Amino acid sequence: MNKKSLRISLFLAIALLSNAVFAQEQSPEKSAGLSPYRVTATKVNDLVHTKLDVSFDYAKRYLYGKEWLTLKPHFYATDSLTLDAQGMDIKTVALVGAKGNTPLKYTYHDNKLFVVLNKKYTNAEKYIIYIAYTAKPDELKVKGSAAITDAKGLYFINPDGTDLNKPTQIWTQGETESSSAWFPTIDKPDQKTTQEIAITVQSKYTTLSNGRLITQKVNANGTRTDTWKMDLPHSPYLFMMAVGDFKITKDTYKGKEVNYYLEPRFAPYAKQIFGKTPVMMKFYSDILGVDYPWNKYAQVVARDYVSGAMENTTATLHGEHVQKTDRELLDGNEEGTIAHELFHQWFGDYVTAESWSNLTMNESFATFGEIIWHGYDAGKDAEDRSRYEKLQSYISSTKNGDSPVLARFHYADKEDMFDNVSYAKGSVILYALKNQLGDAAFYKGLNKYLTTNAFKNGETHQLRLAFEDVSGRDWSPYFNQWYYAGGHPILAVDYGYSNGKATIKVKQTQDASVQTFTLPVKVDIYVNGQKIRKEILINQREQDFAFEVAAKPALIDFDVDKIIVGEINDNKTAENYYYQYKNAPGYANRIEALQFIMQSKAKSGQQILLAGLKDISGDLRALSIDGLNLEDAEIKAAALPVLLQMAKADKDTEVRSAAISKLAETGDQAYTTLMNESVKDRSYKVIAAGIAGLSKLAPQQSSAALASLDQDTKDHISTSIAALYVADPKDGHQAFYTDIMSKGDRNKIFAVIGQYFQYLRANNNPAVTEKGIGDIRNVIERLKLQSYLNKQLSGAYSAAAQGKSQQAASATGIAKANLTKQADIFNKAAAELNKE
């Protein structure tokens, strides 16, 4: 599962509300002392085969189901069966026999179906249970998490067709244990079953499920029954259905179907969105030595999805953010998500984490899969950027080096496992292990893990044993440190030179409660234009190292391969960083040098930023643009021609928009023509930068240019428009925000709601304030966002009330009365939120 788009939108919303830094993934929470120990689910009975026959009542949001469930005792003989069945009406439970069905006694409570079998079965005997039931997902009282925002398993989207801007769809979401909301099962990841699902739908709709479509039967009542069959076993949470008006674009990999299911208007762009999938399949197959293990691979895009994407076996379901036109793709694609879900087909589906405590065996690997795909597709710099971003994402959600254990057997709720530790930290831990093992041994170890546990379950110990078998080396110390203990090192590193020796002092400064780490580190010492490689071992809280050198080093590059999963704080000088950017040009070294220069604001660093305008990485070109000091005449003279060329022709639209914005900051009216040209561009990012630039250089032209845009463009640059209206908080601009609050989906709301609050704070009309707070209250109720935004809004409203009161203290007359009334409105809104 990938939750990127949701977490980024949520970050934007909360950052704008609170003006505080917020982790882009769910922040990991300490779980020490929590009980009980989360054991793997005990197997009393094993699922063998699941056969379903389902149809839908759109008006009631019901699924009518018939199920034939084949099981056998796992080891011990048993005369009972317990199934997970959430919020259902159970009509019939019977034993299937050669002469017909025999009713069985059962009880149903607490979302569990307890069945009394007709006899005690041994593990050499299979039996089949028939169940007739009705699933009522919309009546189910369940909660989701920051990663998966709802957990009712089965979703009816616009089932009555009243929303003319949204298609009618049905789709499922099984992870973590929500498949049992639409069919009775043993809803645990350590179960594996084959399946067959007959789906009856209106004939106009397309269906998708796991495995292959074996039959389509046209019924007399205007419906059609599609039967999908999965011959290979997989876990219940990976079962899926999708029903809707999808147009299928066909592709292939080694003769296997590779299909893309999109809304018809996006179908022309299917190959641009998903077209690299067959290449990804070959890359992963080759590098793992296990060819894509399933009979087909499909990707479907669903509306109102509750997470980023889900790796259902043979049929990944994506949220609508993946669905883009060719124009939208100019500003970025979702290849990372596509790669993440595909890698799950091996790590998560082919071999499945034995328990949620071992989620790292699914999510760390899928995130690692993103990293290596970027390297294969776009080169080492792209790979290094990807893992750098994963590391920073993890670190940003921690404090003082403290974080939960990766293989975590104590947690409050299984949903807590979907955090920055299981995803980001786990991926860079795997990358560091690859570095230490070497690529050949690492991938041979992955091959052994996959082939040994094929169609079964795995845990971290089995991965360790696979690496040990391949390499002949005991990897227990590595796993004990990174998988079974938490936190990360924070290294204070001091470089020196005396008596012909380069010195390195290293101190581990993470909290005393966090373990002391053992870290093999490669160090490059740059002396007289030469690079000297040294290898050191850090295994104490404080250590000193010294190396004889011919002269004072120009740079000591600590952790050359950048595999330390932690933070490094060192005493490099400005000159060290300048040398580093030019001579130790890995991605992490370059961004570190540029960030130092931007923070130091030293004039001497500006020449490096000028060089950064030609960096191979677009994000570093954009970073260099942001750091340029155009108040320096010399830098300005050198930079302006380059910025103008970048604004017009850089291949990266983020860079183009950054250059346009930088030129607008000069206030030079000569760039008005550029701004107007940018507004006519196809890139939404470039258009947004042009509109913002005009607002600075020619405000009247900005308003006219904004008014001239078509509605599609306005919709795509709504965040930029919202920012403009914050700076110009006229009463009439409220209609823009109100429209988004009343119609926008979750991502659109998260993108704009913070700016709406800032607009309300900047506006001085109490009627606008009251309506705005009502708009926000309504959208929170409509999209059930209370758990995400109420706390932040309460604090934001209280702060706004205080600010209005302070303004009122120095105002007079009507202005004073209005400000006082606004303060009261904000205070009342905060108090109401605090009651909830």
Side-chain angles (χ1 to χ4, degrees), residues 381-426:
D381 206 65
E383 179 169 305
D384 289 348
R385 174 185 175 181
S386 182
R387 64 187 177 98
Y388 176 86
E389 290 173 345
K390 307 300 183 195
L391 177 60
Q392 299 310 311
S393 178
Y394 158 69
I395 289 172
S396 70
S397 63
T398 67
K399 185 178 181 180
N400 300 326
D402 200 8
S403 64
V405 177
L406 183 55
R408 199 176 324 160
F409 296 92
H410 293 278
Y411 52 77
D413 189 284
K414 58 187 178 298
E415 304 292 344
D416 298 341
M417 292 298 299
F418 293 80
D419 62 12
N420 248 328
V421 174
S422 296
Y423 285 75
K425 183 185 183 187

Side-chain angles (χ1 to χ4, degrees), residues 198-230:
I199 310 170
T200 298
V201 297
Q202 296 175 42
S203 294
K204 63 181 178 179
Y205 291 130
T206 299
T207 71
L208 174 65
S209 188
N210 314 90
R212 61 192 176 94
L213 180 63
I214 58 172
T215 64
Q216 287 189 302
K217 176 187 174 185
V218 177
N219 304 314
N221 60 354
T223 65
R224 188 187 70 252
T225 300
D226 293 352
T227 301
W228 294 81
K229 189 173 184 181
M230 185 80 179

Side-chain angles (χ1 to χ4, degrees), residues 319-371:
E320 61 198 86
H321 62 282
V322 170
Q323 195 164 240
K324 298 184 178 184
T325 65
D326 59 339
R327 187 178 174 190
E328 290 171 312
L329 288 166
L330 293 172
D331 294 329
N333 58 48
E334 300 295 333
E335 275 185 28
T337 297
I338 293 167
H340 180 109
E341 303 309 328
L342 177 60
F343 207 63
H344 267 309
Q345 298 296 317
W346 286 266
F347 290 92
D349 298 4
Y350 186 61
V351 183
T352 306
E354 183 179 84
S355 67
W356 303 118
S357 291
N358 286 283
L359 185 65
T360 179
M361 302 308 297
N362 292 3
E363 297 301 348
S364 300
F365 273 99
T367 310
F368 170 83
E370 293 179 53
I371 295 172

Side-chain angles (χ1 to χ4, degrees), residues 776-792:
I776 292 173
R777 183 190 306 114
N778 291 339
V779 75
I780 288 175
E781 179 63 30
R782 176 169 68 87
L783 297 179
K784 296 179 172 55
L785 304 177
Q786 291 87 345
S787 61
Y788 305 101
L789 296 179
N790 274 9
K791 182 178 179 181
Q792 286 74 22

Side-chain angles (χ1 to χ4, degrees), residues 19-53:
N19 295 319
V21 175
F22 186 84
Q24 291 189 6
E25 296 205 27
Q26 179 185 353
S27 296
E29 297 180 1
K30 286 292 288 179
S31 53
L34 292 175
S35 60
Y37 181 92
R38 302 292 180 171
V39 298
T40 299
T42 300
K43 292 182 178 180
V44 177
N45 288 280
D46 288 344
L47 296 173
V48 177
H49 182 67
T50 302
K51 181 178 179 180
L52 297 170
D53 187 337

Side-chain angles (χ1 to χ4, degrees), residues 121-142:
Y121 288 84
T122 70
N123 68 352
E125 298 175 285
K126 295 179 182 177
Y127 60 93
I128 301 175
I129 298 295
Y130 169 76
I131 303 170
Y133 65 96
T134 301
K136 303 177 177 181
D138 280 24
E139 299 174 20
L140 186 61
K141 303 299 182 184
V142 289

Side-chain angles (χ1 to χ4, degrees), residues 238-249:
L238 296 166
F239 280 38
M240 75 84 68
M241 295 186 298
V243 178
D245 181 17
F246 302 115
K247 184 172 177 59
I248 305 171
T249 300

